[in-house]
Amino acid sequence: PQGLLELSWNVSYPEQAVNFQLLIRDLQFGLLFGMSDRGEFENADLAVLWSDGSNSYFGDAWSDAKGQLHMDSQQDYQLLGARRAPEGLYLLFRRAFSTCDPKDYLIEDGTVHLIYGILEKPVHSLQAINISAIHGGLQRVQLLKPNITIPELPSDTKTMEITAPDVVIPSQETTYWCYMVELPKGFPKHHIIMYEPVITEGNEALVHHMEVFQCAAEFDSFPSYNGPCDSKMKPERLNYCRHVLAAWAMGAQAFYYPEEAGVAFGGQGSSRYLRLEIHYHNPLVFKGRRDSSGIRLYYTATLRPHDAGIMELGLVYTPVMAIPPGEDAFVLTGYCTDKCTQKALPRAGIRIFASQLHTHLAGRKVVTVLSRDGRERQGVNSDSHYSPHFQEIRMLKEIVAVFPGDELITTCTYNTQNRSQATVGGFGILEEMCVNYVHYYPQTQLELCKSTMDLGYLHRYFNLVNRFNDEEVCMCPQVSVPEQFSSVPWNTFNRDVLKSLYGFAPISMHCNKSSAIRFP
């Protein structure tokens, strides 16, 4: 957040290695840089630069469960060079994706939690470094970005900046800021073919992620608004601005659409109103910081062959799907079934080129796979270190073709070890979701292809819990599902039965058009 460290990197897929360059602006006695499962300093894989006051050392180290540092017997962070410059010290080193060293982090597709710590005093040995006393931090990135060729922009490309109007960032750790923008009257249909972030200089560490949403076309007008998204002053109607046009998260680059497709906006049947949402992350609680960040859209009047669409896969937002408290890896699965794709997709199929995974605070891992004729054929997107605090639209390494009769299966893994009550599905931040927004072309009428467990089987579950339980649990049908879940005593039996029920009970399928009308 103070701008002391700057990381650049490139990926060599032929050599299966990442080259890192760290610029350290105000070097004291060294630093730690590395990776860990969820950004903790225990059980971390670290490159350490340290000085005893006269000599400097560099080495590959790891920390144990107590946070004690150890030199790694196999040195896998390879130092390529170090040079002083007016702006600071540049440190260059490389690391293979996979090292076959049990103490090393395996670099995979998806989110990587990078950790850093500044050494403020000289240290005589690596073991003498006390991790708990270090001024450190965490940054999430997608290290292994796909090598895509950047398409040429047409000569009639125009740009439009959707940016915050010089707002004062609130002096609190987390703020979601909402700002309404109106397109000019009579704005004809265009294709968005690329977008990129516009970040106010000096705020690079505060702007966490940003999204531009288009409002629902069924309303003629939307009120203007500029303020926190959770404010009581926010007009109710802004909740109908949910169609994602662009999404950016820290560490992401510009987003390009494939040459054959663009996102339609403007013209008939399309709302003129857009909502910008910015998540400010201000852990040092700076006061009075002004910001005009946002997203720059590149669009063209020369329409491409296909409109790009967005489809929601995963679980329906319903309390029927719940996670017991105290679970370290509870799995829920949502289906887009063969019957739905058979009905809704064109014969030539669709092409998925990007994906944005989404859960709330308990989500730890999200995977979507494509299955054909009952066999898993290929992965659509997978993030084994998923974090709800880092959600970006990611381009896929290869385009995934989906044909009528294919199935798309989305599995989410949750951790509720810090909760004492069951966590139910729903829209609230303490409720859960399991979603993959896939970006594809050509656009079809299918906007949502999700499932949930059949409600009748949940009632049978509550009856069973009742029968095996000594205390009377109120499982009366007139009580809401979340209330029934909150009165379940979470012993091993009740947990295991729920887990296996989610595995085998029949599902209720939502195969929806955009207007929330289901395909027959």
Side-chain angles (χ1 to χ4, degrees):
Q2 289 101 332
L4 296 176
L5 286 178
E6 194 176 293
L7 173 71
S8 317
W9 75 92
N10 63 33
V11 180
S12 167
Y13 284 102
E15 294 170 6
Q16 298 272 298
V18 184
N19 298 309
F20 295 101
Q21 173 188 280
L22 266 177
L23 165 59
I24 309 154
R25 288 192 199 278
D26 187 12
L27 180 64
Q28 291 172 294
F29 293 95
L31 93 158
L32 288 72
F33 166 84
M35 307 162 220
S36 68
D37 191 33
R38 308 224 51 95
E40 54 289 292
F41 274 83
E42 296 76 32
N43 299 320
D45 176 6
L46 298 160
V48 186
L49 173 72
W50 78 97
S51 163
D52 56 15
S54 48
N55 293 316
S56 296
Y57 306 90
F58 177 89
D60 177 354
W62 55 277
S63 64
D64 59 27
K66 294 195 174 87
Q68 178 63 48
L69 283 187
H70 306 271
M71 185 64 85
D72 201 331
S73 54
Q74 185 180 315
Q75 292 285 303
D76 292 301
Y77 282 105
Q78 183 191 345
L79 185 63
L80 303 176
R83 63 182 172 87
R84 282 206 177 277
E87 60 271 30
L89 175 79
Y90 284 96
L91 197 63
L92 261 87
F93 51 96
R94 70 179 306 172
R95 162 80 152 66
F97 298 174
S98 169
T99 60
C100 301
D101 176 346
K103 298 294 180 206
D104 282 356
Y105 180 95
L106 173 68
I107 301 175
E108 301 173 289
D109 290 342
T111 306
V112 178
H113 292 69
L114 299 177
I115 53 177
Y116 61 88
I118 311 282
L119 299 181
E120 291 164 346
K121 298 192 182 83
V123 281
H124 295 290
S125 73
L126 186 81
Q127 282 74 17
I129 297 172
N130 175 6
I131 278 191
S132 56
I134 276 178
H135 162 69
L138 152 71
Q139 188 63 50
R140 298 176 183 90
V141 296
Q142 179 195 18
L143 272 184
L144 303 188
K145 294 185 184 296
N147 274 346
I148 59 154
T149 46
I150 290 177
E152 196 111 322
L153 296 179
S155 54
D156 67 347
T157 303
K158 295 194 175 107
T159 64
M160 177 187 295
E161 291 195 359
I162 314 276
T163 53
D166 193 30
V167 307
V168 176
I169 299 176
S171 49
Q172 59 194 44
E173 179 161 353
T174 303
T175 303
Y176 281 82
W177 194 271
C178 282
Y179 175 57
M180 291 296 289
V181 179
E182 194 176 338
L183 295 175
K185 277 202 168 74
F187 184 77
K189 179 176 173 178
H190 288 78
H191 269 163
I192 298 170
I193 51 176
M194 168 194 165
Y195 60 82
E196 63 187 2
V198 181
I199 311 282
T200 301
E201 203 175 326
N203 292 350
E204 291 84 0
L206 301 179
V207 178
H208 189 276
H209 71 253
M210 306 185 280
E211 295 191 82
V212 176
F213 298 96
Q214 188 166 35
C215 300
E218 50 259 37
F219 297 102
D220 292 335
S221 71
F222 280 81
S224 55
Y225 181 70
N226 177 37
C229 301
D230 59 359
S231 160
K232 296 203 167 36
M233 306 302 288
K234 188 185 86 169
E236 191 66 24
R237 190 169 279 193
L238 268 54
N239 295 337
Y240 291 93
C241 306
R242 303 253 12 116
H243 179 74
V244 180
L245 285 186
W248 172 90
M250 200 183 270
Q253 298 154 304
F255 187 89
Y256 296 87
Y257 283 87
E259 280 170 340
E260 315 78 79
V263 169
F265 82 136
Q268 279 286 301
S270 164
S271 173
R272 294 201 349 255
Y273 296 89
L274 308 177
R275 175 168 70 88
L276 171 70
E277 182 175 303
I278 302 182
H279 171 190
Y280 293 113
H281 178 60
N282 184 7
L284 300 179
V285 197
F286 294 125
K287 287 187 171 60
R289 199 62 92 73
R290 304 191 84 88
D291 186 70
S292 302
S293 300
I295 286 179
R296 184 181 295 122
L297 303 174
Y298 289 73
Y299 62 99
T300 170
T302 312
L303 299 181
R304 290 176 164 185
H306 302 293
D307 286 350
I310 297 177
M311 189 190 305
E312 279 190 45
L313 307 175
L315 286 172
V316 181
Y317 310 127
T318 162
V320 171
M321 305 305 284
I323 305 134
E327 293 282 342
D328 69 334
F330 194 87
V331 175
L332 293 177
T333 300
Y335 300 88
C336 174
T337 60
D338 49 348
K339 289 194 179 76
C340 181
T341 60
Q342 192 72 57
K343 193 97 196 165
L345 297 188
R347 265 183 50 198
I350 57 170
R351 306 287 179 272
I352 297 177
F353 59 88
S355 150
Q356 181 186 22
L357 306 173
H358 179 75
T359 73
H360 285 173
L361 302 178
R364 294 293 179 271
K365 182 177 175 178
V366 186
V367 180
T368 297
V369 296
L370 172 104
S371 146
R372 184 173 297 148
D373 305 325
R375 287 221 334 271
E376 196 178 299
R377 294 300 167 109
Q378 79 186 105
V380 178
N381 191 1
S382 141
D383 195 340
S384 309
H385 298 272
Y386 171 85
S387 166
H389 306 294
F390 187 59
Q391 309 189 13
E392 55 181 354
I393 300 177
R394 290 183 179 157
M395 293 176 250
L396 302 185
K397 288 204 166 55
E398 49 192 45
I399 285 182
V400 175
V402 185
F403 295 101
D406 287 355
E407 290 180 275
L408 292 159
I409 302 168
T410 302
T411 301
C412 293
T413 306
Y414 300 95
N415 181 307
T416 55
Q417 284 176 307
N418 59 351
R419 301 193 179 182
S420 55
Q421 288 285 341
T423 301
V424 296
F427 289 95
I429 196 66
L430 291 176
E431 296 172 332
E432 266 312 326
M433 293 188 170
C434 177
V435 189
N436 183 352
Y437 298 98
V438 291
H439 295 244
Y440 72 95
Y441 65 86
Q443 186 169 27
T444 67
Q445 284 195 304
L446 182 61
E447 275 216 358
L448 186 147
C449 188
K450 298 159 96 174
S451 72
T452 174
M453 183 176 73
D454 183 287
L455 182 60
Y457 278 74
L458 188 64
H459 290 317
R460 293 183 195 182
Y461 170 73
F462 289 139
N463 287 335
L464 183 77
V465 167
N466 235 352
R467 257 193 274 162
F468 276 85
N469 219 38
D470 301 340
E471 310 98 72
E472 244 336 281
V473 181
C474 180
M475 296 300 172
C476 357
Q478 58 271 30
V479 174
S480 74
V481 168
E483 287 174 286
Q484 293 189 64
F485 267 122
S486 70
S487 63
V488 172
W490 290 110
N491 54 37
T492 319
F493 177 77
N494 290 341
R495 284 171 194 274
D496 289 351
V497 171
L498 185 67
K499 212 173 279 187
S500 52
L501 189 69
Y502 284 146
F504 85 85
I507 58 172
S508 145
M509 190 58 214
H510 290 227
C511 185
N512 293 12
K513 302 179 186 185
S514 57
S515 42
I517 297 166
R518 294 196 192 182
F519 279 88

